[in-house]
Amino acid sequence: MFAYYIDLALRSLQRSKALTVLMVLAMALGIGASMTTLTVFHALSGDPMPGRSDKLYYVQLDAADLSGFVPGAEPYDQMTRFDAETLLREKRADRQAMMSGGSVALQPAASGQAALEPFYAAARYTSADFFPMFDTPFAHGRAWGAADDDSRARVVVISQELNQKLFGGADSTGKPLRLDDAEFRIVGVLKAWRPVPHFYDLNTGRYTQAEQVYLPFSTARDLKLGHDGSMRCWGQGEADATALNRSCAWIQYWAELDTPAKAAAYREDLVRYAEQQKAAGRFQRPPNERLRPLMAWLDFKKVVPSDVRLQLWLAFGFLLVCLVNTVGLLLAKCLRRSAEIGVRRALGASRLAIFTQFLVEAGMIGLAGGLLGLVLAMGGLWLVRQNPAAYAQLARLDGAMLLLTFVLALAASVIAGLLPAWRACQVTPALQLKSQ
């Protein structure tokens, strides 16, 4: 029976070619625009650590002075080095990592490396738990350990991209690498890894690529390597803003807590720590800690650009306009076919059969519009990728969004076809036969 409805729909669409083209084009334009913006939104707002995001927490402490103090106001996004190193030593979480962004000069002319000119690469100064916490995939070697943090070991993990550039993709573990004027030993090479967004440090770019070089934070400070990212300082102190006892917030701190009970206990530990520091005279403000899960942190920081959200709403508004136009065209077509409907009803077709016939016809229009809309969406995403924005290259249609294109097209066309189909099944056969 369904094949019969498809045959009727094809004949009907062929009889009104101009009207069919208008309806398919209206659906395609709406689907193309909405899927372009929805794909961009999907790429920017996804979970960067699926299956683990509910266990990863961003930690904030309010160590600032009383200048501009407002009770209960949001503390600084970052932490002082003293507080970060203290929390790291206490190991109150299942895992914890302190980190900061940086930039280092690579000197590839060292033995065993390609004959390239020195260049700068983005670096991440962090602690050993960074890699297991964020489940970074390794192509070769391993991460360094806590003992390497303590001993300020000159070890480094590099990205697959950098490994390809310097060593042609071969296993480079154990080989030397000069960063600035110091020699390091490569202990691991990551596979391609780019969490979206760049959640663990939003200060160096929300949609930037992952760093090419990773080394112990303690080693970076021992060598006074350059720091990238924001920094907020207060009070007087050493000239070096990255010094241990300097009152400057510039470090990101993450904790892994496997259960809600551990998270609650860790929050209490943060309050106690703040009270201890206030009693010792370091903290001037009352305890004002924050412990947000990864996705809550991204929501708080409004990571998805506001213009992308606005474009999404505008695109779906445009799809609604296209649907209204399609409804009008389908209604006009229904009125023109009243005589045909009356004959079918007189020959025994039920109202349900008429209703189903028109829904099948609307669905075929939707599928055709979805196919053309997919082409338009791919063209729209190509245009987005020409944009200089950092997130532009992420605008690509994956399998899930490809399937969603046709689901959305079919659903939209069926919704658009409901009113015309209902109107068609209300046609009175006697009245139409009499008029003929």
Side-chain angles (χ1 to χ4, degrees):
M1 196 65 177
F2 187 71
Y4 174 62
Y5 291 143
I6 292 178
D7 182 59
L8 288 177
L10 287 173
R11 293 184 182 185
S12 173
L13 294 175
Q14 288 174 355
R15 284 198 301 268
S16 309
K17 292 185 174 63
L19 198 58
T20 299
V21 169
L22 285 176
M23 289 188 290
V24 170
L25 188 58
M27 290 295 300
L29 289 172
I31 294 298
S34 57
M35 287 309 302
T36 298
T37 55
L38 186 60
T39 299
V40 174
F41 182 81
H42 170 73
L44 302 188
S45 62
D47 186 346
M49 296 293 295
R52 296 181 59 81
S53 58
D54 60 333
K55 301 176 182 179
L56 300 176
Y57 293 81
Y58 190 72
V59 184
Q60 295 169 265
L61 291 171
D62 200 350
D65 59 16
L66 293 175
S67 175
F69 171 62
V70 177
E74 186 69 21
Y76 292 163
D77 288 354
Q78 301 179 102
M79 195 178 293
T80 68
R81 179 181 169 186
F82 182 93
D83 295 323
E85 292 195 3
T86 302
L87 292 180
L88 193 71
R89 283 196 306 272
E90 291 180 351
K91 298 181 180 179
R92 296 184 180 274
D94 296 317
R95 292 190 180 104
Q96 49 277 308
M98 60 180 291
M99 66 190 74
S100 176
S103 181
V104 292
L106 274 75
Q107 301 177 27
S111 174
Q113 297 169 22
L116 298 173
E117 293 295 326
F119 61 92
Y120 280 91
R124 172 80 11 198
Y125 314 140
T126 185
S127 50
D129 279 350
F130 175 92
F131 302 98
M133 272 183 67
F134 300 143
D135 199 22
T136 56
F138 277 83
H140 305 292
R142 57 171 180 80
W144 66 80
D148 295 314
D149 284 332
D150 295 338
S151 64
R152 297 178 172 82
R154 297 190 179 185
V155 292
V156 64
V157 171
I158 64 174
S159 69
Q160 186 179 56
E161 179 185 1
L162 183 60
N163 187 62
Q164 180 66 39
K165 184 175 182 178
L166 297 180
F167 303 100
D171 184 356
S172 60
T173 55
K175 294 185 178 180
L177 180 69
R178 290 195 68 81
L179 305 180
D180 286 4
D181 292 322
E183 186 171 288
F184 285 73
R185 177 173 55 87
I186 299 173
V187 295
V189 178
L190 295 181
K191 293 181 181 178
W193 184 64
R194 183 183 181 180
V196 178
H198 190 257
F199 69 94
Y200 52 83
D201 184 359
L202 300 174
N203 297 282
T204 54
R206 298 185 172 192
Y207 296 100
T208 188
Q209 295 189 9
E211 294 78 9
Q212 294 182 293
V213 176
Y214 303 80
L215 61 146
F217 181 91
S218 56
T219 307
R221 298 315 339 126
D222 190 41
L223 297 173
K224 299 188 182 304
L225 298 180
H227 160 258
D228 287 345
S230 64
M231 177 183 288
R232 301 183 70 170
C233 297
W234 58 92
Q236 301 296 319
E238 300 178 46
D240 181 7
T242 66
L244 177 63
N245 295 309
R246 187 71 164 88
S247 297
C248 294
W250 59 285
I251 294 172
Q252 304 88 46
Y253 197 92
W254 287 87
E256 180 179 340
L257 303 160
D258 288 342
T259 65
K262 288 182 178 180
Y266 191 81
R267 188 186 297 276
E268 292 176 0
D269 288 337
L270 291 177
V271 173
R272 281 195 293 270
Y273 174 80
E275 290 173 342
Q276 292 170 0
Q277 295 303 312
K278 191 173 189 303
R282 281 195 66 249
F283 285 13
Q284 299 181 34
R285 303 183 179 189
N288 186 28
E289 84 298 335
R290 297 288 189 277
L291 186 68
R292 290 186 173 95
L294 190 158
M295 295 306 292
W297 172 244
L298 296 181
D299 289 340
F300 170 73
K301 295 298 292 182
K302 295 180 172 56
V303 169
V304 180
S306 58
D307 60 330
V308 172
R309 294 181 182 274
L310 177 61
Q311 289 166 12
L312 181 65
W313 285 110
L314 290 175
F316 276 102
F318 180 63
L319 176 60
L320 181 61
V321 171
C322 293
L323 285 182
V324 171
N325 288 332
T326 304
V327 170
L329 293 172
L330 285 172
L331 279 173
K333 189 172 183 180
C334 172
L335 292 175
R336 290 172 54 185
R337 297 173 61 190
S338 296
E340 174 195 333
I341 298 168
V343 171
R344 286 205 63 209
R345 292 279 284 116
L347 291 175
S350 66
R351 289 185 174 182
L352 178 60
I354 300 297
F355 186 83
T356 305
Q357 175 191 340
F358 273 77
L359 275 190
V360 169
E361 187 173 326
M364 294 188 68
I365 292 170
L367 288 176
L371 186 60
L372 181 56
L374 177 62
V375 175
L376 295 176
M378 293 177 70
L381 292 172
W382 180 84
L383 290 175
V384 171
R385 291 195 294 273
Q386 310 314 304
N387 192 304
Y391 62 80
Q393 295 305 312
L394 301 171
R396 298 181 183 278
L397 205 65
D398 58 20
M401 299 308 292
L402 180 65
L403 178 62
L404 182 60
T405 301
F406 289 101
V407 171
L408 180 61
L410 188 58
S413 60
V414 169
I415 292 172
L418 286 174
L419 179 58
W422 177 84
R423 179 68 183 82
C425 69
Q426 301 303 311
V427 171
T428 304
L431 182 60
Q432 294 301 321
L433 292 175
K434 184 177 180 180
S435 66
Q436 296 299 317

